[in-house]
Structure formats: structure tokens, C-alpha cells
Amino acid sequence: MTRTSLSGVACSIARATDLFGDAWTALIMRDVLLGIRRFEELAEDLGLSRKTLAARLARLVEEGVLARERYQASPPREEYVATEKGRELYPVLLALMAWGDKWYGAPAGPPALIRHDACGHLTTPVVSCDTCREPLTVADTTQLPGPGGQVGPGTRLLGPLIAARGEDDHERTPEQG
């Protein structure tokens, strides 16, 4: 099945989903970030076809999310390691995992727990404000127009909606918040 590319949509979620819009890519990243880095091990763990795995890995390398590193000279063998761009996906995967645990969890409990090594406590990932550290929710945030925003495919209605919020925001005085 051919997918429509979202890489040209003026939306960071659309552009990211263009690469990570299928379950296999997220699961490959999960495995690599947790230490399963060799092609045969990834194929065994995930149970997907070698052709599909090779295609997903090639795209992740092409996008600079993974890099290939040689671990054996003769015969030459390589493994996949996350780049900085790839390691920055870890909080995204943790947030997705927490959401899945909450809404699709098994009666016995979550399949994996997260321990924060710095404090030693089990934790649930939370997306929070980088200034005040309060959790961010849809009820207490507003998306405003950014410099790269534009109206087009994927943002025909959303673009003007966000732009109008920006106009409303500029009309407020600092005292009005």
C-alpha cells in the first residue's frame, strides 16, 4: 500500500509521523534504544520480514536517526546505533508507552516499568513545561502561530485556526494574560 508523503505539510507532527507513522519503525527504535542493535536480533525480536526490516532500517539511517557501526572486521558486520536525533525519540516513546499502559494495559499491569536511575524511583513519563515544570495538557495550553506555519495540505483548516489564536493573543494586553 502506498502512503501519501506528509513531509511537505507545515506541521511538525505530520513531518515526524511521515517517518514514524507505522508501528514497526517505533518498535525498531524501542529495540535499538534498549540495546537490540543487530539485524538478526531485531528480526528475531520483532518477527517481521527481513525485507520490511531492511527498508525501515535504511530509512532510519538515511534520515540520520540511526547510524551503522562496525562491530566485527572479518567478516564485516555492523550494528545499528541511535544518533543524537534518534536518542531524542526516547521521551516520545516513553510518553506513548505511558498512554498505552493507561488506555490499553493488560489486567496484570504494564509489560515494562521505568526506573529513573538518578533517584532510583519507578516513574511515569510526563510532558511538562520547560519553564515551570508543570504537566502540559490540552486544557492548559494554546498553540500559537510559529514562523514556519502556513496554510496548505494538512493544515487547510488548522492553519487559519492557529493564526486567529495568534491574532487574539496579540490583542491582549500583558495584564490580561
Side-chain angles (χ1 to χ4, degrees):
M1 172 164 67
T2 305
R3 284 191 320 111
T4 301
S5 174
L6 300 175
S7 62
V9 175
C11 171
S12 298
I13 294 172
R15 291 175 183 159
T17 305
D18 193 54
L19 178 60
F20 294 97
D22 72 277
W24 292 125
T25 302
L27 294 175
I28 289 167
M29 286 308 301
R30 175 204 65 188
D31 278 14
V32 170
L33 289 166
L34 296 179
I36 300 173
R37 298 185 175 110
R38 297 180 181 171
F39 185 92
E40 294 300 327
E41 293 171 341
L42 288 164
E44 179 182 344
D45 188 56
L46 298 171
L48 75 159
S49 77
R50 297 174 65 82
K51 180 180 176 181
T52 300
L53 178 59
R56 297 304 188 282
L57 288 168
R59 175 93 192 274
L60 289 166
V61 168
E62 176 185 314
E63 293 288 335
V65 176
L66 293 178
R68 294 171 74 156
E69 283 188 5
R70 179 148 303 162
Y71 69 88
Q72 179 179 311
S74 181
R77 299 206 189 273
E78 296 178 323
E79 63 185 4
Y80 296 89
V81 295
T83 62
E84 179 182 359
K85 186 177 180 180
R87 289 187 302 274
E88 287 187 6
L89 280 168
Y90 188 64
V92 175
L93 294 175
L94 286 179
L96 186 60
M97 182 180 105
W99 183 83
D101 287 347
K102 179 176 181 175
W103 296 103
Y104 296 100
L113 301 173
I114 303 298
R115 181 186 66 224
H116 184 221
D117 293 338
C119 70
H121 289 93
L122 294 178
T123 188
T124 300
V126 175
V127 177
S128 63
C129 175
D130 67 349
T131 301
C132 71
R133 304 290 185 226
E134 287 295 316
L136 299 176
T137 69
V138 70
D140 60 17
T141 58
T142 301
Q143 287 198 13
L144 301 172
Q150 57 185 325
V151 176
T155 61
R156 290 189 203 287
L157 299 178
L158 187 60
L161 176 67
I162 291 173
R165 289 178 182 162
E167 292 167 6
D168 291 345
D169 197 54
H170 291 303
E171 292 171 6
R172 293 181 184 169
T173 65
E175 298 82 35
Q176 292 173 313

